[in-house]
C-alpha cells in the first residue's frame, strides 16, 4: 500500500473515532438534569449522593448542617448555579419543570428571590405542613402533607408557565400566597405567613 493511501486511511479512521466520540459526548451532555462529575464530587463531600439536579436540590434543602453550607447553589428559573469557591457551574433544569421553594413562617422571615440552597434559612425547620397548590384555572397541582427541611423550606417541582395560589396549614394556622413559574418569577417564596 502506498504511503499516501495509508495516510488517507489513517486520517479517515481518526475522523471516525473523533466523530464517534463526539456523538458520545453529545449524548451525555444532552441528558436533562444530569450533574457534572465535579458537582457530584462536591455533593459527596457533604455526604450527598445525587445524579440529577432535582436530587441535588432536594438533598441540599434537607441537609441537616447549619447554614451556610460549604457548597452554595442558587436555584434560578431554568438552571441551578453551583458556586464552589467563586466558580459558577450551571446545570440546566428540565425544560418542563420549575423548582419552587416555600418557607412558611409565623413571626420571622427574610427577603428572597432566587432560592439559595446552601444559605437560606426559614423559621419553621423540620415542621409538618399541609400544602395545596392550585393554578388559576382551578387545577390542583399539589395537595400533600410534607415536612420542611432543616432550612425551613419545602420544595415543589411544578410545570412551567403557570400561576396560581399556594395555601399552607399547620394545625389551625393557615396562610396563602400567589405564585408563578414563568421565566421572570422567583424560585423562593418566604412571604406566606401563618395565622
Amino acid at each position: 500500500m502506498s504511503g499516501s493511501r495509508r495516510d488517507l486511511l489513517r486520517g479517515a479512521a481518526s475522523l471516525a473515532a473523533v466523530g464517534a466520540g463526539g456523538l458520545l459526548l453529545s449524548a451525555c451532555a444532552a441528558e436533562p438534569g444530569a450533574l457534572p462529575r465535579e458537582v457530584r464530587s462536591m455533593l459527596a463531600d457533604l455526604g450527598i449522593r445525587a445524579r440529577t439536579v432535582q436530587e441535588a436540590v432536594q438533598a441540599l434543602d434537607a441537609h441537616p448542617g447549619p447554614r451556610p453550607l460549604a457548597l452554595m447553589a442558587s436555584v434560578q428559573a431554568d438552571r441551578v448555579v453551583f458556586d464552589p469557591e467563586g466558580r459558577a457551574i450551571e446545570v440546566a433544569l428540565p425544560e418542563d419543570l420549575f423548582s419552587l421553594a416555600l418557607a412558611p413562617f409565623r413571626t420571622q422571615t427574610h427577603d428572597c428571590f432566587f432560592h439559595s440552597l446552601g444559605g437560606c434559612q426559614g423559621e419553621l425547620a423540620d415542621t409538618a405542613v399541609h400544602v395545596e397548590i392550585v393554578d388559576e384555572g382551578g387545577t390542583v397541582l399539589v395537595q400533600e402533607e410534607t415536612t420542611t427541611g432543616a432550612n425551613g423550606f419545602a420544595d415543589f417541582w411544578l410545570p412551567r408557565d403557570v400561576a396560581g395560589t399556594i395555601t399552607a396549614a399547620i394545625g389551625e394556622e393557615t396562610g396563602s400566597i400567589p405564585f408563578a413559574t414563568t421565566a421572570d418569577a422567583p424560585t423562593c417564596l418566604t412571604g406566606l405567613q401563618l395565622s
Side-chain angles (χ1 to χ4, degrees):
M1 183 181 295
S2 72
S4 61
R5 182 172 163 92
R6 187 178 306 124
D7 291 341
L8 183 62
L9 289 174
R10 278 191 196 136
S14 296
L15 284 174
V18 168
L23 289 174
L24 179 62
L25 290 175
S26 296
C28 290
E31 188 179 339
L35 292 175
R37 179 178 295 140
E38 184 177 6
V39 172
R40 290 197 316 264
S41 175
M42 290 181 292
L43 290 168
D45 290 344
L46 289 172
I48 296 172
R49 294 195 184 278
R51 296 193 60 77
T52 67
V53 70
Q54 296 101 309
E55 292 172 353
V57 166
Q58 291 171 312
L60 282 168
D61 261 352
H63 194 281
R67 270 42 185 183
L69 296 177
L71 174 62
M72 299 299 286
S74 173
V75 180
Q76 300 178 13
D78 62 348
R79 71 192 63 145
V80 175
V81 181
F82 295 89
D83 191 12
E85 301 170 359
R87 292 177 298 124
I89 301 172
E90 297 185 356
V91 180
L93 293 173
E95 291 182 5
D96 58 339
L97 293 178
F98 187 97
S99 177
L100 186 63
L102 172 70
F105 75 100
R106 289 187 178 108
T107 60
Q108 184 178 340
T109 190
H110 64 280
D111 290 333
C112 185
F113 193 86
F114 291 134
H115 183 45
S116 174
L117 291 168
C120 281
Q121 181 64 56
E123 178 186 46
L124 303 174
D126 301 313
T127 302
V129 59
H130 179 82
V131 176
E132 183 176 83
I133 304 177
V134 181
D135 73 13
E136 291 174 322
T139 300
V140 176
L141 303 174
V142 174
Q143 187 168 27
E144 66 181 50
E145 293 286 335
T146 189
T147 300
T148 59
N151 63 355
F153 281 83
D155 295 309
F156 300 96
W157 292 94
L158 302 174
R160 287 186 189 261
D161 298 320
V162 298
T165 303
I166 299 177
T167 302
I170 298 176
E172 298 299 313
E173 299 175 297
T174 63
S176 295
I177 192 170
F179 79 95
T181 63
T182 54
D184 59 351
T187 61
C188 183
L189 294 181
T190 56
L192 191 155
Q193 186 169 19
L194 299 166
S195 60

